[in-house]
Amino acid sequence: PGGPRGGGGGEEEEEEEEEGGRGGYNSPSTTALRFRLDKGPVALTTRRPSALPKDNRKERVAVAEEGDESGACSAAYSSLNNRLLSAREREINRMKRRAAASIPAAADESSPSSGDGEGSGAQGDDFLDTYFGVSAAVMWNLVYTPAEEGPVVPVSRGWNKVLDPVVDDFQYVIFEWDNFFASLVSSTLGYTDIAVSNIIQTVKSITAAGFVPNYSAAGIKSEDRTEPPIGAKVLEALIEGNGGFSSSPPRSSSSSGLEWVAELLVDDLIRWNEWMFDNRQKEGLIALGSYSIEKVLNKGQGADDNNMQAARFESGLDNSPMYDGEDFYNSSKEAHTMELWDVGFSSLFAADSLALGRILTRINRTTEARFFTERGEAMAREIYARLWDDQSEAFVNRFFNGSFNRRVTPTSFYPLLLVGHVPTETMDGGSSSIGRNINQLLHSWFFNASRFCVAPDGDFVKNNDTCYWGLPSISADDPAFPALGYWRGFVWGPMAQIV
């Protein structure tokens, strides 16, 4: 700014005064908005600040447009729009080349592609359309806000947790596992920088208590709960998909790729893992809960409560039929969890602990790596030993009193992430108890056209209309399914990705 009040001034300030004609940038009685495009600064309005509501930025923009008597603002917008259209054409061509490179099936099924990477085969075109569709969905939700250190990819622009944003564009929210998956998808599409920025902002939303919260936005966080722990597993996939780790530890100082992201985030992921084990592990398995030490320290001030619904939110499956009922939540200070061992959350915690162990091994922190590997394997054994229900022929949640909660959702398949970490002598091609159990799970539930409707040959046309796509968020034969809605029957990306 400069001028008499800003410590600058001089020739540039005098020129701005003359061009604007109604007061310079340093005038204490005026406000001015400027576009610095091709033609330098343009003063748009000089209405006194006292005429504007104190924090109403929309009103300020309206006043700015009102003051565009010379048409400079409209010309600037027109110029910018033309540039954006040109940039869009360039990006489409880049996307075609990137799609051809990242989706082998598109290249295999297409005739030789032209220079822009666009094949002519029908199958290739189908994959290209899918690539464009997923890219559009991710990019539509890409936002930048000054409240974060870099761009983020929220689950949707429709969600917001920012309190009283001064402009609508500053509305956003980071939902933990949704944002982790957005990094995975962005990286798969070839948007590596966006994927890295997004995963950094998500992990760095960690609370003072030491967990990545259910939600975070401009400093507002769920201080009582987290969400499904997939951070280490996604980070590992992100690095492996972009050059991988060095061939063997110890790494050389010249190693390339995204290992630096692991070194930046791994200690926060360790804190999160430790917090979950200390606060949600009950007799070797995970129970969902809600408890805000911040709220306790602030003598009850805060929005997050220690109750059943808050614990449901921690699952990421906000209204799943698995958690119907209010009589199995223990709100005591010593417990503050559901009295229910959760098969999905336990499996993801075990898988994430194992991923953390692998990451630590690759960055040469082997002692810590062994610790988290053993933690993951120990919980995997507990899941296979205690959460399999012969009557249901499935892994299911189990109440602390020993009875099973027989509502089957895709979380019943999550233990298959851990097959390689249960005792190998029990895995002999299906003749053992565990082998038989997995066979029963897949054939009784996964491929069953009246339950999860996943067609073995991928031909969805054979499914009926009520379960056409497969893998609904509750088994199609569950009483809660016919009404559909949210986590009570709809098909969800996070579940599909994990399974």
Side-chain angles (χ1 to χ4, degrees):
R5 294 191 170 205
E11 188 174 325
E12 183 180 349
E13 290 299 330
E14 292 175 3
E15 290 176 1
E16 289 191 5
E17 173 80 25
E18 182 178 346
E19 184 173 351
R22 292 184 292 175
Y25 196 65
N26 60 320
S27 170
S29 63
T30 63
T31 59
L33 299 176
R34 290 171 171 73
F35 285 92
R36 291 185 179 272
L37 294 174
D38 294 331
K39 299 181 179 179
V42 180
L44 298 181
T45 182
T46 54
R47 183 172 295 191
R48 291 178 179 273
S50 59
L52 297 174
K54 184 177 180 182
D55 291 315
N56 192 333
R57 298 295 179 88
K58 291 181 182 177
E59 188 71 22
R60 291 176 187 269
V61 172
V63 170
E65 291 172 348
E66 210 175 282
D68 185 29
E69 296 172 358
S70 66
C73 183
S74 298
Y77 275 125
S78 178
S79 173
L80 181 60
N81 189 53
N82 289 335
R83 292 190 219 176
L84 290 173
L85 289 175
S86 297
R88 180 177 180 273
E89 292 301 318
R90 291 195 300 273
E91 179 62 16
I92 286 175
N93 286 330
R94 279 196 295 269
M95 288 172 67
K96 288 178 179 179
R97 290 192 292 272
R98 188 183 291 133
S102 63
I103 306 177
D108 293 344
E109 299 291 339
S110 302
S111 62
S113 61
S114 61
D116 63 3
E118 183 175 18
S120 59
Q123 183 70 20
D125 289 344
D126 286 345
F127 276 109
L128 191 59
D129 285 345
T130 301
Y131 180 90
F132 280 150
V134 178
S135 292
V138 171
M139 291 300 107
W140 171 248
N141 290 319
L142 174 67
V143 299
Y144 172 74
T145 164
E148 301 294 337
E149 295 292 335
V152 292
V153 187
V155 62
S156 166
R157 288 175 176 259
W159 287 93
N160 171 57
K161 291 288 186 179
V162 179
L163 296 180
D164 302 321
V166 292
V167 290
D168 288 346
D169 279 348
F170 288 169
Q171 296 184 123
Y172 77 105
V173 61
I174 293 173
F175 282 123
E176 179 252 287
W177 71 328
D178 301 284
N179 273 67
F180 280 127
F181 280 123
S183 279
L184 191 62
V185 174
S186 298
S187 175
T188 303
L189 294 169
Y191 301 116
T192 305
D193 289 347
I194 291 171
V196 169
S197 177
N198 183 67
I199 198 171
I200 290 173
Q201 311 318 316
T202 304
V203 175
K204 290 300 182 180
S205 71
I206 191 168
T207 66
F211 61 91
V212 179
N214 172 189
Y215 66 80
S216 173
I220 305 299
K221 304 177 183 183
S222 58
E223 299 284 1
D224 69 314
R225 61 185 181 271
T226 184
E227 263 196 319
I230 60 166
K233 194 161 177 59
V234 169
L235 176 60
E236 180 187 33
L238 187 61
I239 295 171
E240 294 290 6
N242 288 277
F245 293 88
S246 298
S247 57
S248 62
R251 298 163 301 119
S252 67
S253 59
S254 61
S255 60
S256 59
L258 298 181
E259 289 185 34
W260 66 270
V261 185
E263 294 175 338
L264 176 68
L265 301 180
V266 70
D267 288 308
D268 287 327
L269 294 174
I270 287 173
R271 293 185 191 99
W272 185 20
N273 188 284
E274 294 282 24
W275 178 89
M276 279 186 285
F277 193 82
D278 291 343
N279 291 274
R280 298 293 187 261
Q281 180 268 144
K282 307 292 180 182
E283 299 179 29
L285 294 166
I286 299 295
L288 301 170
S290 164
Y291 180 73
S292 174
I293 186 62
E294 298 296 321
K295 188 168 184 177
V296 173
L297 293 175
N298 291 322
K299 298 182 179 179
Q301 297 301 310
D304 298 313
D305 294 318
N306 173 17
N307 59 35
M308 182 64 181
Q309 184 54 57
R312 292 188 186 103
F313 288 149
E314 185 165 73
S315 72
L317 322 175
D318 303 357
N319 69 338
S320 171
M322 291 188 294
Y323 311 121
D324 284 356
E326 302 289 334
D327 58 351
F328 55 96
Y329 186 79
N330 186 337
S331 61
S332 70
K333 182 178 179 181
E334 293 72 26
H336 50 81
T337 66
M338 296 184 191
E339 295 184 326
L340 179 80
W341 290 302
D342 194 273
V343 66
F345 215 100
S346 296
S347 298
L348 293 178
F349 177 81
D352 218 53
S353 298
L354 294 165
L356 196 52
R358 292 189 295 270
I359 291 171
L360 288 164
T361 297
R362 302 305 294 272
I363 62 174
N364 203 28
R365 291 168 60 171
T366 54
T367 301
E368 294 165 287
R370 284 193 296 272
F371 175 84
F372 287 102
T373 299
E374 290 170 3
R375 171 173 284 180
E377 290 178 340
M379 190 164 291
R381 290 191 295 271
E382 293 294 321
I383 292 166
Y384 273 76
R386 295 162 55 195
L387 298 184
W388 174 263
D389 175 30
D390 284 327
Q391 179 177 323
S392 301
E393 296 185 320
F395 294 100
V396 293
N397 297 339
R398 191 170 191 173
F399 294 105
F400 286 3
N401 64 13
S403 62
F404 289 101
N405 180 333
R406 295 189 169 99
R407 311 298 289 267
V408 180
T409 77
T411 62
S412 290
F413 306 119
Y414 292 5
L416 302 189
L417 291 166
L418 310 170
V419 166
H421 297 276
V422 292
T424 54
E425 62 270 16
T426 64
M427 300 299 296
D428 58 3
S431 62
S432 71
S433 60
I434 292 181
R436 286 195 304 272
N437 292 350
I438 291 173
N439 256 336
Q440 290 172 339
L441 175 68
L442 294 177
H443 292 284
S444 296
W445 293 93
F446 192 69
F447 295 123
N448 189 321
S450 65
R451 287 177 166 173
F452 287 101
C453 329
V454 177
D457 59 359
D459 185 2
F460 295 106
V461 177
K462 296 177 182 177
N463 288 340
N464 61 48
D465 288 345
T466 59
C467 191
Y468 182 80
W469 296 109
L471 206 68
S473 48
I474 185 73
S475 176
D477 67 349
D478 189 283
F481 178 83
L484 289 176
Y486 214 41
W487 292 98
R488 304 178 77 86
F490 285 168
V491 179
W492 282 79
M495 284 180 157
Q497 182 65 59
I498 292 169
V499 174

